[in-house]
Amino acid sequence: IIAKDVDQAVAQGAAIYARMLQDEEQPSIRRCFENPEIKKLNRVTGRSYGIAAFAGKERKVSNMILRNAALPQETEKIYYTKYENQRSVSIHVYENIQDRSHIGLSEAAHIGMCQLQIKGDLPIGSPITIILSLDEKGTLHVKGREESGLTEAETYMDTQALWGQGDFAEHAVIS
């Protein structure tokens, strides 16, 4: 079974298993389940994760880790200060079930914040690096760094990243 989508992998596996139960006499199907050769097994996230950022004049969620991404996952992206003489950056983190890179704030749940205090005043358009890392246990590590390297802030957040017991959060490639 080769599938990029969790639901598709589950559906294909269920169809094969149903066929096997229906036709116990057919040895080729039975062999597939008696000795499967698993090439790759990935734990995936059931949610997307991003931060609040301005897209023009509108504040949106910029998803950095998309739903169904293999775990562990780490993404780094550069954002820019919006105001002249900025002394801090509030990194608001959101969780959602969308597969798009940018969504409205109302489509996501706020799960936490990380405050980056900046030494000195930054001019408008100064780069700020944001790194989101999601481990196999569903813990989200959020890190913000002012690009001159003078200041950093980081925090850890518990998430709903992993599928529940009945949600089948694993992709299997069986030959």
Side-chain angles (χ1 to χ4, degrees):
I1 300 171
I2 300 175
K4 291 185 178 184
D5 179 61
V6 173
D7 296 331
Q8 181 184 8
V10 170
Q12 287 177 350
I16 291 171
Y17 187 69
R19 174 63 190 229
M20 183 190 84
L21 292 176
Q22 182 182 16
D23 194 0
E24 292 266 332
E25 301 288 318
Q26 197 168 20
S28 63
I29 294 175
R30 200 169 46 250
R31 268 197 312 269
C32 174
F33 285 93
E34 289 171 353
N35 190 14
E37 185 180 317
I38 297 176
K39 293 181 179 177
K40 187 175 182 183
L41 188 62
N42 288 329
R43 188 123 179 106
V44 298
T45 177
R47 310 277 180 171
S48 294
Y49 295 91
I51 66 162
F54 282 94
K57 292 184 179 186
E58 190 178 355
R59 213 167 148 224
K60 292 188 169 246
V61 174
S62 173
N63 280 329
M64 294 175 63
I65 297 175
L66 292 177
R67 186 170 70 116
N68 291 329
L71 296 177
Q73 186 71 227
E74 180 172 294
T75 305
E76 181 175 319
K77 191 170 180 183
I78 297 176
Y79 295 89
Y80 300 91
T81 56
K82 180 153 178 70
Y83 306 106
E84 196 64 49
N85 301 317
Q86 200 162 331
R87 293 183 181 190
S88 68
V89 175
S90 298
I91 305 164
H92 290 272
V93 182
Y94 288 82
E95 176 177 76
N96 61 86
I97 57 170
Q98 304 301 322
D99 292 327
R100 300 184 316 270
S101 59
H102 292 89
I103 63 170
L105 289 175
S106 63
E107 297 178 75
H110 186 264
I111 60 170
M113 187 192 85
C114 182
Q115 188 73 27
L116 175 62
Q117 296 298 328
I118 299 168
K119 295 177 183 172
D121 296 336
L122 286 182
I124 192 168
S126 296
I128 303 290
T129 300
I130 306 294
I131 302 167
L132 295 186
S133 304
L134 187 61
D135 68 21
E136 290 180 332
K137 294 178 182 176
T139 303
L140 185 66
H141 179 212
V142 181
K143 187 175 189 177
R145 182 176 63 237
E146 187 263 313
E147 276 305 297
S148 69
L150 297 176
T151 55
E152 279 188 1
E154 62 185 308
T155 189
Y156 292 88
M157 299 176 189
D158 289 326
T159 68
Q160 295 181 16
L162 304 180
W163 295 82
Q165 281 211 309
D167 292 330
F168 308 103
E170 306 209 2
H171 289 288
V173 179
I174 304 172
S175 61

